[in-house]
Amino acid sequence: MYTNVKSKATYSCFYNKAFFVSLLFVTVLVSSCFISMFSSGVSPFVSGASDRVVSNERELRTAVNNAAGSTVIALANDITLTEPLIIPVDKNITLTSASASKFFKLIGGETGRLAITPNEYNFPVSVIDVESSSVLRLDGVVVTCINDPIAWNRLVRVSVGGTLILYDGEISGNNFGDGVNNWGTFEMYGGKISNNNANAGYGGGVYNCDHGIFSMFGGEISNNIGFGVYNRRLYDLSPLFELKGGVIRNNDGGGVQNTGIFSMFGGEISNNVGGNLMQSGGGVSNSGVFSMSGGMISNNQATNGGGVYNWPDGNFSLSGNSVISNNVADVGGGIYNAGTFNRHDGIISGNTATQYSNIYPNDDDDSLMGYVVLIVPIVVIVSIVVGLFLFFKKNHKSNNR
C-alpha cells in the first residue's frame, strides 16, 4: 500500500513538471515569434481601442483627426488623396499596412492641387504635412503621387518642431520635387527614399533645411535626380545631417550636397554621379562643415572631386576608420580640395583621375607608401653592397703593396 502511494506521488510530480516545462516551452515559442516579428521589420499592428483600420480617404482623415495619444492607423488598401493629409499639432500617429505581406500606398491624386487652390502654380504642395509638435511614424506604407508635374512637389513635409520617423516602406515617385522636405526632426531607420526628381527644386531624396535635424541610421536613399540629400544652410541657420548607417547611392546629381553641418560616422555613399555646378562632388559636395570619422565614400564619379569636392568656403576633416576609395574624376579622384582640409586618419586610396588620383592639389597617394616601403630597403641594400665592394677593394689594394 505504501508503495502505491509513493508511485502515485511520483507520477503526479512527473506530470506537474511536464506541464510546467510544456507551458514554459509555449511561452518561449510565442515570445520568440513576437521578437522575430519586430526584428524582421514586419510592421507590428496591435489591435486595440486606439488602433484603426481604414479603407478610404474619409476614414483616414477621421482617424487622424480623432486620434488620442499614440495611435496606430493601418491601411487596408491603397488610398488616393484629393488634398494633403495634415498631421495636426500634438498628434502622435503611426501609419502602417493591415497586411503583413504588402505595403499599401498613400497616393497624392490627380485632383489634389485643384482641391487646394485654383492657382495650379501655388507651391508648395505636400502629400503629407507634419505640423509642429506632432509625430508621424511610417512603418510599412508607400507614400507617392501621380506624375502630373504641377500637382505635388513634396511627398512629406515636416514643419519646424514636427517629427518624422521612417522605419519601413517607401517615399518615392515624386516627379517634380523632394521625397522628404524637413524643417524639423527626421529619423530614418529603414525603408527607401527613391525615384524622386528635384529638377525644379533642391532635394531629390531629402531636403534638410534651416532648423532641420536629419539622422540616418539605416535604409536607402537611391535613384533620385538632384541630390540624395541636400543639407542646406538657410537664413543663417545650419541644419544638421548625421549619417550613422544605411546607404546613399545611385543618385544623379550627387550623393550629398552640404552647406550646413554634416557628420558622417558610418554608412555608405556610393555610385553617385555629380551633376551640380561644375559637375563637382560625386559623393559629397561640401561648402559647409563636413567631418567624416567612419563609413565609406566609394565608386562615385564627377568632373572634379569624384569622392568629395570641398569648396573654398568648405571645412572638411577626415579621421577614424573612414575610407574614400575607387572614385573617379578628371581632377581629384578621391578629393578635390579648394577649402580647408584636415586629415587626422582614414584611408584615401584606389581612386582614379587624369590629374591627382587621390587628392588635389597635393596628391597624398596612399599607394605611394607602398613604393616607399619597397624603394627604401632596395636603396639600403644597394648602399650596403656598394659599401662592402669599396671596402674590400680598398683592403685588396692595401694587401698588394
Side-chain angles (χ1 to χ4, degrees), residues 34-247:
F34 278 103
I35 292 172
S36 175
M37 180 191 301
F38 281 90
S39 63
S40 65
V42 175
S43 302
F45 179 71
V46 183
S47 180
S50 62
D51 296 336
R52 301 288 185 270
V53 178
V54 297
S55 301
N56 55 53
E57 182 179 8
R58 181 183 58 80
E59 291 178 354
L60 173 61
R61 294 186 186 281
T62 300
V64 168
N65 292 329
N66 293 339
S70 180
T71 302
V72 178
I73 300 173
L75 278 60
N77 45 251
D78 295 344
I79 295 178
T80 299
L81 300 175
T82 58
E83 58 183 272
L85 176 67
I86 307 298
I87 308 300
V89 173
D90 294 331
K91 296 294 184 180
N92 191 330
I93 304 290
T94 298
L95 291 180
T96 186
S97 294
S99 171
S101 61
K102 181 179 180 180
F103 294 162
F104 289 119
K105 296 178 181 179
L106 196 60
I107 306 166
E110 185 174 1
T111 60
R113 59 180 168 83
L114 299 177
I116 301 160
T117 171
N119 179 5
E120 60 189 16
Y121 295 101
N122 184 24
F123 294 125
V125 179
S126 309
V127 176
I128 301 178
D129 206 325
V130 183
E131 293 190 337
S132 179
S133 301
S134 64
V135 178
L136 173 64
R137 298 175 182 84
L138 298 176
D139 192 3
V141 295
V142 177
V143 182
T144 187
C145 65
I146 61 165
N147 288 324
D148 183 344
I150 55 176
W152 311 90
N153 73 330
R154 297 166 178 173
L155 292 180
V156 182
R157 183 182 188 273
V158 186
S159 300
V160 176
T163 300
L164 170 67
I165 303 173
L166 177 61
Y167 290 111
D168 202 358
E170 293 185 30
I171 299 175
S172 64
N174 186 358
N175 221 27
F176 198 68
D178 311 323
V180 175
N181 188 284
N182 180 54
W183 298 67
T185 299
F186 174 31
E187 298 177 2
M188 183 175 180
Y189 295 92
K192 286 185 180 181
I193 301 174
S194 63
N195 297 300
N196 302 292
N197 186 338
N199 275 338
Y202 291 105
V206 177
Y207 179 67
N208 190 54
C209 183
D210 200 9
H211 293 84
I213 299 174
F214 173 30
S215 301
M216 185 176 178
F217 300 93
E220 178 179 313
I221 300 175
S222 62
N223 298 300
N224 300 285
I225 297 176
F227 309 109
V229 176
Y230 187 6
N231 191 51
R232 188 187 184 195
R233 178 185 174 90
L234 192 63
Y235 307 128
D236 292 325
L237 297 171
S238 291
L240 174 63
F241 172 36
E242 296 181 320
L243 179 57
K244 299 182 178 181
V247 59

Side-chain angles (χ1 to χ4, degrees), residues 7 22 28 136 142 165 250 291 306 375:
S7 177
S22 300
V28 170
L136 173 64
V142 177
I165 303 173
N250 299 327
S291 59
I375 291 171

Side-chain angles (χ1 to χ4, degrees), residues 253-254 257 274-282 284-285 302-305 308-309 311:
Q257 171 82 12
N276 59 2
L277 182 66
M278 295 174 57
Q279 308 291 306
S280 301
V284 177
S285 177
T303 302
N304 301 300
V308 177
Y309 188 93
W311 292 82

